[in-house]
């Protein structure tokens, strides 16, 4: 089966949809009712029901559908996301929108997904995170919001773009049926890969030769650690401001010689850039 790269033609006027920053969809995509709590307030969600919550920066609590209570931090620059108390599967789909004749220039990236033993091939991604952070994936269209048939843009030079939507599993399967796509049986190796649990992230500064590069890298790692416990908006913004300065110095120091070029991409961060973080 060929991978799906759907092209829908565009017109000339873009009408963007906006949503308040820090808005989370508390969702129950299952076929049964669930009970959950956010900051001590109980929510009884029937099958397929959801609530929209605006959460301020700071520390919050969540009790999932199984009675487990956790803490999480919402950051000042959070774009919101989906709160998934039932730990259900959600699927990302990337869609190319292009002007007539420009379709070959836009190829959505992604991976095949496996659901109930069936593999669906296409520009997809899947998660069952308790809180699905929109900052990390940056989808344009939320669950319960369909892909539009057309995209309008005021930029006469635009030939197209790629947008991502997040689906519940049921929405995704309905969408596949609508697109005429059927899953194919996944083999054992593919099933094992799907079941793998990602390793816990580690803090590691590569062995930089340039002392200035190493110094600024260590500064950013320290800021990344501090960000994980920053509960107040002012503190969060201060850390991000300091990070931007350290990053600029890091880049400038690395440009003075070529000794560390191969190591620059090995510096990873666990928390900076997130909109929400579960602290438990």
């Amino acid at each position: 089966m060929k991978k799906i790269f759907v092209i829908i033609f565009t017109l000339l006027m873009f009408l963007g949809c906006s949503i308040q920053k820090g808005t989370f969809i508390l969702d129950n995509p299952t076929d049964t009712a669930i009970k959950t709590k956010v900051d001590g307030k109980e929510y009884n969600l029937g099958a397929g029901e959801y609530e929209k919550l605006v959460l301020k920066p700071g520390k919050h609590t969540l009790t999932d559908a199984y009675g487990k209570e956790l803490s999480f931090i919402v950051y000042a620059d959070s774009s919101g996301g989906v709160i998934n108390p039932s730990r259900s599967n959600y699927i990302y789909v990337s869609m190319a929108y292009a002007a007539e004749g420009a379709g070959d220039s836009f190829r959505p990236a992604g991976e095949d997904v496996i659901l109930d033993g069936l593999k669906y091939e296409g520009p997809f991604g899947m998660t069952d995170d308790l809180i699905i952070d929109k900052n990390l994936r940056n989808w344009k269209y939320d669950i319960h919001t369909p892909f539009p048939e057309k995209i309008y843009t005021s930029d006469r030079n635009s030939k197209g773009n790629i947008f991502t939507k997040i689906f519940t599993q049921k929405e995704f399967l309905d969408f596949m049926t609508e697109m005429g796509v059927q899953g194919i049986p996944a083999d054992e190796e593919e099933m094992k890969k799907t079941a793998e649990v990602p390793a816990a992230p580690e803090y590691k500064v590569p062995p930089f030769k340039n002392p200035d590069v190493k110094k600024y890298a260590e500064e950013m790692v320290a800021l990344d650690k501090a960000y994980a416990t920053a509960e107040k908006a002012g503190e969060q913004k201060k850390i991000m401001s300091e990070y931007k300065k350290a990053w600029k110095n890091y880049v400038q120091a690395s440009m003075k010689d070529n000794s560390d070029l191969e190591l620059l991409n090995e510096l990873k961060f666990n928390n900076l850039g997130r909109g929400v973080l579960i602290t438990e």
Side-chain angles (χ1 to χ4, degrees):
M1 182 182 295
K2 294 181 180 180
K3 294 182 181 293
I4 304 168
F5 297 113
V6 181
I7 307 299
I8 298 180
F9 301 129
T10 65
L11 296 180
L12 290 177
M13 183 69 194
F14 178 73
L15 300 176
C17 55
S18 61
I19 188 168
Q20 185 174 350
K21 290 180 72 68
T23 298
F24 291 82
I25 300 176
L26 178 65
D27 193 47
N28 175 23
T30 72
D31 294 329
T32 59
I34 64 171
K35 291 183 179 181
T36 183
K37 291 182 180 180
V38 178
D39 295 334
K41 181 179 179 179
E42 186 170 290
Y43 295 87
N44 296 305
L45 298 177
E49 292 185 346
Y50 66 94
E51 294 262 2
K52 287 190 176 180
L53 309 178
V54 177
L55 301 179
K56 295 180 179 180
K59 190 172 183 180
H60 299 268
T61 59
L62 169 65
T63 303
D64 69 14
Y66 308 100
K68 183 177 181 180
E69 184 173 324
L70 305 100
S71 298
F72 64 98
I73 294 174
V74 173
Y75 292 100
D77 62 349
S78 171
S79 296
V82 176
I83 300 178
N84 176 23
S86 62
R87 308 287 181 116
S88 299
N89 288 327
Y90 288 79
I91 297 91
Y92 310 106
V93 176
S94 294
M95 180 80 77
Y97 287 80
E100 188 170 2
D104 290 342
S105 301
F106 299 91
R107 286 287 183 261
E111 299 178 350
D112 302 337
V113 298
I114 297 175
L115 297 168
D116 299 327
L118 295 178
K119 180 172 69 171
Y120 296 84
E121 298 179 316
F124 309 138
M126 186 166 67
T127 182
D128 62 356
D129 289 348
L130 179 60
I131 303 180
I132 306 170
D133 186 356
K134 194 171 183 179
N135 280 46
L136 297 184
R137 188 70 189 196
N138 193 30
W139 62 85
K140 184 173 181 62
Y141 302 106
D142 279 309
I143 51 175
H144 315 304
T145 301
F147 272 123
E149 288 298 318
K150 298 178 180 179
I151 291 291
Y152 298 86
T153 178
S154 59
D155 183 359
R156 293 180 180 272
N157 295 317
S158 175
K159 298 298 183 181
N161 209 331
I162 295 171
F163 298 112
T164 300
K165 170 177 162 49
I166 185 169
F167 289 78
T168 65
Q169 181 169 320
K170 182 180 184 303
E171 281 182 329
F172 175 77
L173 294 175
D174 288 345
F175 182 66
M176 291 294 96
T177 299
E178 178 186 334
M179 301 303 294
V181 177
Q182 294 183 338
I184 58 177
D187 60 39
E188 290 186 10
E189 290 302 314
E190 290 172 323
M191 294 290 288
K192 288 179 182 177
K193 184 178 179 181
T194 301
E196 288 178 356
V197 178
E202 296 181 2
Y203 285 104
K204 180 182 177 182
V205 176
F208 293 122
K209 297 176 182 178
N210 185 316
D212 288 333
V213 172
K214 183 178 180 181
K215 179 181 72 173
Y216 295 125
E218 289 174 343
E219 280 185 22
M220 289 187 288
V221 167
L223 290 168
D224 188 66
K225 291 180 180 179
Y227 202 63
T229 57
E231 297 180 7
K232 295 182 179 180
E235 183 182 5
Q236 295 166 3
K237 291 177 180 178
K238 180 181 178 183
I239 290 173
M240 285 303 298
S241 177
E242 292 176 355
Y243 160 72
K244 290 175 182 177
K245 291 178 183 177
W247 175 260
K248 182 178 179 180
N249 291 332
Y250 172 76
V251 172
Q252 290 177 341
S254 67
M255 292 174 65
K256 291 180 180 179
D257 61 63
N258 297 324
S259 61
D260 295 313
L261 289 180
E262 294 182 359
L263 298 174
L264 296 181
N265 289 333
E266 293 185 18
L267 183 62
K268 307 294 183 183
F269 301 108
N270 301 327
N271 307 305
L272 288 163
R274 290 180 178 271
V276 60
L277 177 67
I278 294 176
T279 59
E280 300 198 39

